[in-house]
Amino acid sequence: MTVPEQWEPRETPEVDPETAPFWRAAADGTLLLYECDDCGLVFYYPRAFCPDDFSPNVSPKPATGTGRVYTYATTDVVSEWPSDDLPMVSAIVELDEGPRMLTTLVDCDADSIAIDDRVEVVFVPTDDEDVAIPVFRPTD
Amino acid sequence: MSNSVYIAGAFEHPTREAPDKSAMQLHAEVARGALADAGLPKSRVNGFATAGIPEYKHTFKGPMMMADYLGLRGVSWAENTDDGGGAQLTHMAHAVSAIRDGKCDVVLITLGGRPRSRAQNTGTGGTAGTTMQDNFEHIHGNTVITRYAMVAKRHMHEYGTTPLQFGAIREAVSYHAQFNDDALYPDPVTAQDVVNSRTISDPIHLLDCCVISDGGAAVVLVSSDVADELARECVEIIGCGESITHHDAGRMNILETGARESGDSAFDEAGISRSDVDYASLYDSFTVTVLLELEDLGFCEKGAGGEFAESGALKAPDGELPVNTDGGGLCSNQPANKGGLTKVVEAVRQLRGETAPEVQIPNARYAIAHGMGGDFVTREKHTTLLLEAPR
């Protein structure tokens, strides 16, 4: 069962001032994490403050974009999703920087994916040229 | 004066499909049923709680529109928290405090809705953005079912849990459902039947999922003074606990749920131990939901939920911990996509000795009722109640 290569354009997420840098970086080909300048926590999803110590001193931190599959699930039942773009493989990827993120796997054979597989980020465009969606594909 | 709070009335709507009724009508019918069960007139209600009704916009107005519709006067305490499937258990926990504080002494809590008649694609929607976080989650198309499937898959990876062990949970509750005349799916199935059913999102099969049903339920909570007036014997609420867990900046452990903390709080307050519990009503949106609750509520070791289910422990009346003897959300009812309150109703039936005789636990004294909302992986809210039979 081969997963469709790219589903595009994806629905554009709501962008607000706090998250705009994340989406713009994605459109430029960079997965952005944030790091607390005070306690060192590297976190995802983006916020204008540190969710541990509440410090406003946080800085964008470009991620390597590599990680491993923490878990995944294949489905061909998703209402309101183009049927040509199914099945989809939902996944949680554990980035090499630490944070786990909900995402999808692409460019893969759904039957051969396994937990702990190495993956790298790729970006799917949306209708908004300043917004792209980070998804992952196996690298092994 | 005792500080105790009691469940005086409990009622579950017998219908599972109500195409010819309004959602508000279902609320009225369960309210009437619960008040009749308690032996109290509507005029005595001075506390009221309901979550919003999804059929109407502005669901935050739920208690106002419903109090108006029901003709409730003199409501001095109201609550409309909507934390998902366990909302009415949360209302109960909060009502206990309100009654103890003297804000009210007869609290009506209602649930009702028509997702089955409205043919909602429950659980399979992925793209709708309704919260800030949806932009980082639902935008990927992952649905409630895929998120639970990811949890099940990780549990299998870490603990060797098998699809048949998830299926054993439905096997047990479907055995119970055959004795419930109102159950939507009353036919017993085996764990192998579950595994043989259509895959929705591997490893979740169709029969791992709860029903989608119309209907509702209601309860009436009273102070000890009111309980003393009543002809009926009342079930006491002896412990309540709540907990939220979430994405935690990317550190979420998807195999640990908020049931750990809500359960600990409830058991601490009640002063009883896990081994004292005779019956468990556990939120069962999916079989994996029950499995993690068994572990996190402390009825078996972490990772051993599959073996526990497979051992026959969940089967009434003789299992080690009979679960969902009405057939639960998996086989009987998940009204308005919020199965929490039906968990309380069945626990009350067990403690009053009113269930089907084939599944009645002899001399049941303590029961647990557990609700959850939100979903595994992202954000979840758990509420646990511990109940004691009339003596």
Side-chain angles (χ1 to χ4, degrees), chain B residues 4 11 13-14 52 60 65 72 86 111 123 159 168 214 239 258 286 313 320 332 342 390:
Chain B
S4 301
F11 183 80
H13 206 295
F60 65 91
M65 68 177 181
L72 298 177
L111 162 72
Y159 298 113
D214 301 342
F286 300 95
E320 186 180 336
S332 175
T342 56

Side-chain angles (χ1 to χ4, degrees), chain A residues 5-131:
Chain A
E5 283 196 352
Q6 302 259 288
W7 319 321
E8 58 179 89
R10 286 282 190 95
E11 183 177 339
T12 309
E14 275 182 61
V15 175
D16 58 41
E18 189 180 21
T19 58
F22 176 87
W23 300 116
R24 179 176 279 281
D28 291 341
T30 300
L31 178 64
L32 214 54
L33 295 169
Y34 282 80
E35 184 167 14
C36 176
D37 300 336
D38 294 327
C39 75
L41 177 72
V42 176
F43 60 92
Y44 173 84
Y45 45 87
R47 263 156 286 190
F49 63 93
C50 172
D52 270 9
D53 62 18
F54 231 33
S55 165
N57 304 317
V58 296
S59 307
K61 177 186 172 71
T64 58
T66 54
R68 66 186 184 95
V69 175
Y70 173 71
T71 189
Y72 68 99
T74 306
T75 185
D76 53 12
V77 185
V78 184
S79 56
E80 301 160 7
W81 200 263
S83 57
D84 289 350
D85 292 342
L86 297 171
M88 72 163 56
V89 183
S90 298
I92 300 175
V93 165
E94 185 169 292
L95 300 170
D96 288 338
E97 289 82 1
R100 294 169 181 163
M101 62 180 285
L102 267 159
T103 184
T104 36
L105 301 184
V106 298
D107 300 349
C108 59
D109 178 352
D111 297 324
S112 65
I113 296 164
I115 286 175
D116 290 334
D117 278 0
R118 294 290 302 170
V119 292
E120 67 180 5
V121 71
V122 289
F123 296 92
V124 183
T126 69
D127 285 329
D128 184 336
E129 63 178 15
D130 288 335
V131 176

Side-chain angles (χ1 to χ4, degrees), chain B residues 253-315:
Chain B
N253 178 349
I254 64 171
L255 300 183
E256 294 273 356
T257 76
R260 177 82 65 193
E261 198 177 342
S262 67
D264 284 348
S265 298
F267 277 102
D268 284 351
E269 184 182 356
I272 64 171
S273 64
R274 269 71 174 175
S275 61
D276 293 324
V277 173
D278 300 301
Y279 168 72
S281 271
L282 302 182
Y283 202 82
D284 54 352
S285 44
F286 300 95
T287 52
V288 63
T289 316
V290 176
L291 188 132
L292 261 65
E293 288 165 346
L294 287 168
E295 295 175 354
D296 291 347
L297 290 169
F299 293 109
C300 62
E301 291 296 311
K302 192 73 205 170
E307 292 168 32
F308 190 67
E310 207 168 36
S311 75
L314 312 185
K315 209 166 166 181

Side-chain angles (χ1 to χ4, degrees), chain B residues 10-34:
Chain B
F11 183 80
E12 180 182 11
H13 206 295
T15 193
R16 301 293 181 263
E17 189 154 15
D20 300 327
K21 293 183 178 180
S22 76
M24 294 175 87
Q25 187 179 356
L26 293 168
H27 280 254
E29 290 175 358
V30 294
R32 192 188 297 120

Side-chain angles (χ1 to χ4, degrees), chain B residues 167-237:
Chain B
I169 292 167
R170 186 164 188 134
E171 179 175 312
V173 299
S174 75
Y175 170 80
H176 302 152
Q178 67 181 311
F179 305 113
N180 178 357
D181 292 339
D182 298 327
L184 192 58
Y185 298 131
D187 295 334
V189 299
T190 65
Q192 189 63 53
D193 290 335
V194 177
V195 173
N196 292 347
S197 66
R198 182 165 62 94
T199 300
I200 305 294
S201 182
D202 177 52
I204 289 185
H205 301 83
L206 182 66
L207 295 183
D208 286 301
C209 305
C210 68
V211 306
I212 295 170
S213 52
D214 301 342
V219 292
V220 178
L221 271 52
V222 299
S223 67
S224 60
D225 286 347
V226 173
D228 288 343
E229 295 173 25
L230 300 176
R232 93 128 41 253
E233 291 189 309
C234 298
V235 167
E236 185 177 350
I237 302 172

